[in-house]
Structures are given as structure tokens and as C-alpha cells.
Amino acid sequence: MTKLFRALDDPTRRRILELLRERELTVGEIGRHFVMSLPSISYHLDLLRQADLVVSEKRGQFVHYTLNTSVLDETMAWLTGLMATGRRPTYETQRHPKKRVAATGPARRPLSSPRSAVG
């Protein structure tokens, strides 16, 4: 999952995924949407492939890239499950409950207003 989030961290790679959402493309077709060299596009595609976000298939002299949505489906299911569990104490607050209190800060008394002090 680390490779997935690293791949999604870059705006160029996110844009490539958006392009592949429409249809499969070759490196050259993807490169037309960017102001960068084809080797740079290939580098981004390789990182996306390592994260299993794209699938490549060589046909003749061209490599065609397709979006692999199964990894995204699995990640969304995991994130949804994580959100559905609600707020449970973390490992750190279970072991050190005082840290939780310290994070919220001490209770403060309200300051008296100038009128009530004069009166």
C-alpha cells in the first residue's frame, strides 16, 4: 500500500490515471498531454505499474497502458472499513491515558469581564 500512496502523491501520475480512465493509451499518446520527455512519462508509468495502478501490454512495437481499478477498489474498501469502525482508542492512548488528557490541555477558568470587576 506504501507504493500505492507514493504513486498517488504526484500530480503528474494522478493526471495520467485520469487520462487512462477514459481509454487505454500508449506512452506517446500520454506524452501529448504533458510538457516533458517520453522517458519521464515512462518513469511515471513504471511507478504506477509498480503500485499496480496500471497494466501494460505490448502489442507490436507499442506498449498500451490501462487503468487497473481493482487496486483502487481494494483500497477504498479498506478505507471505508477503517472509517466504519468509528473512533476507538489508539494503541498510544490505551498505554498512556494521561497523554490524551495532556493533549487537550488543562481546564481554564473564564476571565472575569471588566464590568463585573468594577462594580
Side-chain angles (χ1 to χ4, degrees):
M1 199 170 296
T2 301
K3 287 183 180 181
L4 171 77
F5 287 116
R6 282 187 184 155
L8 292 173
D9 188 43
D10 184 83
T12 299
R13 291 190 285 274
R14 289 193 305 265
R15 178 68 180 126
I16 290 171
L17 293 174
E18 290 171 1
L19 293 169
L20 292 173
R21 183 179 56 196
E22 303 295 323
R23 64 184 178 94
E24 70 176 34
L25 298 167
T26 64
V27 175
E29 291 169 329
I30 293 169
R32 291 185 195 127
H33 296 271
F34 297 93
V35 183
M36 65 175 66
S37 67
L38 292 183
S40 293
I41 297 292
S42 293
Y43 167 78
H44 287 290
L45 285 166
D46 186 50
L47 293 176
L48 291 169
R49 189 174 42 237
Q50 288 177 30
D52 291 328
L53 288 166
V54 298
V55 177
S56 61
E57 182 183 338
K58 184 158 174 105
R59 291 189 221 141
Q61 55 182 316
F62 298 104
V63 178
H64 295 258
Y65 292 89
T66 309
L67 182 63
N68 180 15
T69 57
S70 64
V71 173
L72 295 172
D73 291 338
E74 292 169 11
T75 304
M76 287 302 296
W78 179 77
L79 288 170
T80 302
L82 194 62
M83 290 171 32
T85 60
R87 293 207 175 252
R88 293 186 178 155
T90 64
Y91 173 77
E92 194 62 29
T93 57
Q94 287 174 355
R95 289 192 60 205
H96 307 288
K98 290 185 180 180
K99 282 190 177 181
R100 189 175 188 178
V101 173
T104 59
R108 295 185 178 182
R109 293 182 308 170
L111 297 173
S112 59
S113 67
R115 285 188 181 175
S116 63
V118 173

